[in-house]
Amino acid sequence: MRTKLNLITEIARTDGKCKFDNLAHLLNTDNLKECFRELKKGKASGIDGVTLQEYEQDLDNNLEDLVAKMKRFSYRPQPVRRAYIPKANGKKRPLGIPAVEDKIVQMGITKILQAIFEVDFLDCSYGFRPNRNCHQALDTLDKMIMQRPVNHVIDADIKGFFDNVDHDWLMRCIEQRISDKNLLRLLKRFLKAGIIEEGKYISSEKGTPQGGIISPVLANIYLHYVLDLWFEKVEKRKFGSYIGMVRYCDDFVICVQRKEVAEQLLSELTDRLAKFGLELSAEKTRIVEFGRYAEENSRKKGQKPGSFTFLGFTHFCGKGRKGYFKVGRKTDRKKFSVKVKEMNQRLKAVRNTSKPEAWWPVLAAKLRGHFQYYGVSGNFKGISCFHYQTIRLVYEWLNRRSQKKSYNWEQFKVYLFRHPLPKPGIYHNLYTLYGS
């Protein structure tokens, strides 16, 4: 499958107007078996209750039946099972959990879509793309603000993006590159599969369920045509001053030189998104004065310099060791609170189920993962604070396993010395510019 996908990618790269037909045949038994092997183990099952392990017991026959159903057009994706996870603001984020068989097909379609559209996606897009990640997006944003004449930032938030994607517009976007009627029919069936919540069926007239394997690439395709191309081909050519954008899936910020341009651009952005069934959150979208002159201007007005949040970090106007302007960043306060709360709940759950030696490696892995994401230039205080809070919680919960204290602080320090946890450290250097 990889060889055929590489060929498709090369054709897409050399011919920007090519529309691909005869793609559905790639969803054959061998390729779907490869997709099955790439599915993450231990994930929740869909509405049919079938797990990966159960499906694997008769994998060859199951895949042959699946391919046969697709060939006679009788395959229909099952409704996704709705589940919720808590958000930083106290609300809950809905997730759609597909059945195993649907995950396999979604994986296959995702590979095809990525092979075609990846060459079309613009440099401003970083989310859920091969060889691109959030830290590259943060680095690009840092260089944009530091090297370009940026004085204002549009901190934008699309309200319920995944729940409001317009199916008709999405299909028209996909049809810019794909003309295979069988694959298009299959995609429509996934979009219209519906949702099961508390035993009740809910039709899906719009949106793509978060949690589905195919949702990120569909989101990128939609926003490529709705936002990225419009920004690059229309808006950038309209204004005489600098504007730039960094997008990570549906999370994006726009850097602007002049305030009047920022206001006009925000108005036009609102109209543009509304045309495609999307809406900016009035509470979360704002224009922030930000850049090397923001602190001085704010001081004259008797105000504090503005700040904005992007990818879990609060960005603020800071100063380097030589007193020059630099972009400061720290763990977003809401994200920090959520992470500490999650750690507290995890320690509470395991404290009486087994001895510390059993869950200590998992704790170390969680800490290491936190440092690897939030350990960026300027945020050492933030990750050190999280390390301190974790150590404090571990000490408290170890001593609440019984009425008698297990450790005093000196004994606990000896235990930590013998069983060390990862220390906070900077994993991503974003201050690479001279003088920053």
Side-chain angles (χ1 to χ4, degrees):
M1 187 177 190
R2 175 48 50 194
T3 302
K4 293 180 180 179
L5 292 178
N6 287 340
L7 178 61
I8 290 173
T9 299
E10 190 57 35
I11 296 172
R13 180 181 289 109
T14 54
D15 186 356
K17 295 183 179 181
C18 175
K19 289 189 177 183
F20 291 86
D21 198 358
N22 196 25
L23 294 169
H25 75 280
L26 293 172
L27 301 174
N28 55 48
T29 304
D30 291 338
N31 291 341
L32 291 181
K33 183 181 288 187
E34 180 182 330
C35 293
F36 175 83
R37 300 301 182 195
E38 294 183 31
L39 295 179
K40 293 182 179 179
K41 304 296 187 288
K43 294 294 182 178
S45 57
I47 61 169
D48 58 2
V50 177
T51 64
L52 280 175
Q53 292 74 17
E54 292 170 343
Y55 195 87
E56 190 175 18
Q57 290 175 5
D58 195 13
L59 182 61
D60 291 336
N61 287 331
N62 286 335
L63 292 179
E64 288 176 5
D65 290 342
L66 173 59
V67 173
K69 285 190 291 185
M70 285 194 288
K71 286 182 177 180
R72 61 176 182 265
F73 310 123
S74 64
Y75 167 72
R76 291 187 177 276
Q78 300 180 59
V80 297
R81 181 169 64 84
R82 173 65 59 83
Y84 292 91
I85 59 174
K87 295 174 63 175
N89 58 8
K91 298 181 180 179
K92 292 185 178 181
R93 184 188 305 277
L95 291 180
I97 304 174
V100 171
E101 196 165 75
D102 297 335
K103 288 180 182 179
I104 298 170
V105 180
Q106 282 194 32
M107 178 70 79
I109 297 176
T110 298
K111 289 176 177 288
I112 295 172
L113 293 178
Q114 285 180 334
I116 296 171
F117 286 96
E118 178 60 30
V119 298
D120 293 340
F121 292 154
L122 304 185
D123 288 340
C124 63
S125 169
Y126 287 87
F128 305 105
R129 295 181 57 189
N131 303 315
R132 289 192 158 222
N133 57 51
C134 54
H135 295 106
Q136 292 172 336
L138 290 169
D139 185 61
T140 298
L141 178 61
D142 180 84
K143 303 302 182 288
M144 186 180 293
I145 296 173
M146 291 293 296
Q147 295 180 314
R148 300 290 187 174
V150 173
N151 296 314
H152 296 84
V153 170
I154 300 176
D155 184 10
D157 182 89
I158 300 178
K159 191 175 181 179
F161 170 74
F162 284 94
D163 294 330
N164 292 291
V165 171
D166 185 281
H167 290 173
D168 292 335
W169 277 116
L170 175 58
M171 293 307 301
R172 289 177 65 177
C173 292
I174 295 172
E175 288 167 7
Q176 299 299 308
R177 279 298 216 165
I178 295 176
S179 58
D180 185 337
K181 293 182 179 180
N182 294 331
L183 188 64
L184 293 173
R185 181 190 295 112
L186 197 55
L187 277 166
K188 287 181 182 178
R189 288 183 176 181
F190 270 109
L191 292 174
K192 302 293 185 183
I195 300 165
I196 296 293
E197 183 173 1
E198 296 181 351
K200 296 181 180 179
Y201 174 80
I202 304 172
S203 61
S204 50
E205 299 303 321
K206 60 181 180 179
T208 59
Q210 296 183 64
I213 295 171
I214 201 171
S215 291
V217 69
L218 292 180
N220 273 334
I221 293 171
Y222 199 64
L223 288 174
H224 170 71
Y225 289 101
V226 172
L227 179 61
D228 299 355
L229 284 178
W230 168 79
F231 185 84
E232 189 71 25
K233 304 296 184 182
V234 179
E235 297 302 292
K236 272 194 171 184
R237 297 175 181 179
K238 180 184 299 184
F239 302 107
S241 58
Y242 177 79
I243 61 173
M245 181 175 69
V246 179
R247 179 174 68 82
Y248 191 93
C249 198
D250 63 322
D251 192 5
F252 66 97
V253 292
I254 299 176
C255 297
V256 187
Q257 182 176 359
R258 295 159 50 195
K259 185 176 182 180
E260 59 269 24
V261 171
E263 292 172 345
Q264 182 180 345
L265 181 56
L266 180 57
S267 175
E268 294 178 3
L269 173 63
T270 301
D271 295 339
R272 174 70 178 179
L273 294 179
K275 178 182 177 181
F276 296 92
L278 300 175
E279 179 185 358
L280 288 174
S281 172
E283 298 80 16
K284 298 180 181 179
T285 301
R286 60 202 178 100
I287 298 174
V288 180
E289 185 176 8
F290 197 94
R292 60 184 70 254
Y293 304 113
E295 186 174 8
E296 181 181 347
N297 293 338
S298 298
R299 194 185 313 114
K300 291 178 180 178
K301 300 174 184 176
Q303 302 172 350
K304 291 184 178 180
S307 63
F308 65 94
T309 301
F310 183 58
L311 297 180
F313 293 90
T314 296
H315 296 69
F316 59 92
C317 297
K319 288 185 178 181
R321 287 174 292 181
K322 297 182 180 180
Y324 298 118
F325 165 78
K326 72 173 182 180
V327 179
R329 60 189 61 79
K330 60 184 178 181
T331 307
D332 177 57
R333 179 174 53 84
K334 292 181 180 178
K335 287 288 185 181
F336 182 86
S337 298
V338 169
K339 294 296 182 181
V340 172
K341 185 177 179 180
E342 289 177 352
M343 182 63 74
N344 185 49
Q345 294 297 324
R346 186 174 291 112
L347 291 170
K348 180 180 178 181
V350 301
R351 75 188 193 279
N352 286 326
T353 59
S354 56
K355 293 183 178 180
E357 291 80 3
W359 49 263
W360 207 257
V362 177
L363 172 63
K366 294 293 181 182
L367 264 178
R368 193 177 299 111
H370 185 91
F371 298 153
Q372 287 174 349
Y373 183 83
Y374 288 100
V376 303
S377 303
N379 193 38
F380 187 78
K381 182 179 179 180
I383 57 177
S384 296
C385 188
F386 183 78
H387 179 262
Y388 168 78
Q389 292 291 344
T390 300
I391 297 299
R392 180 183 62 81
L393 288 171
V394 173
Y395 176 70
E396 289 181 1
W397 283 115
L398 283 178
N399 280 314
R400 291 176 67 175
R401 291 183 297 170
S402 62
Q403 294 181 350
K404 184 179 179 181
K405 270 195 172 185
S406 300
Y407 298 95
N408 59 36
W409 184 249
E410 293 302 320
Q411 292 171 327
F412 181 62
K413 287 199 296 185
V414 172
Y415 186 88
L416 282 177
F417 179 79
R418 294 175 178 174
H419 307 277
L421 290 171
K423 298 291 175 122
I426 300 300
Y427 286 81
H428 307 279
N429 180 21
L430 305 184
Y431 291 156
T432 55
L433 294 177
Y434 177 78
S436 63

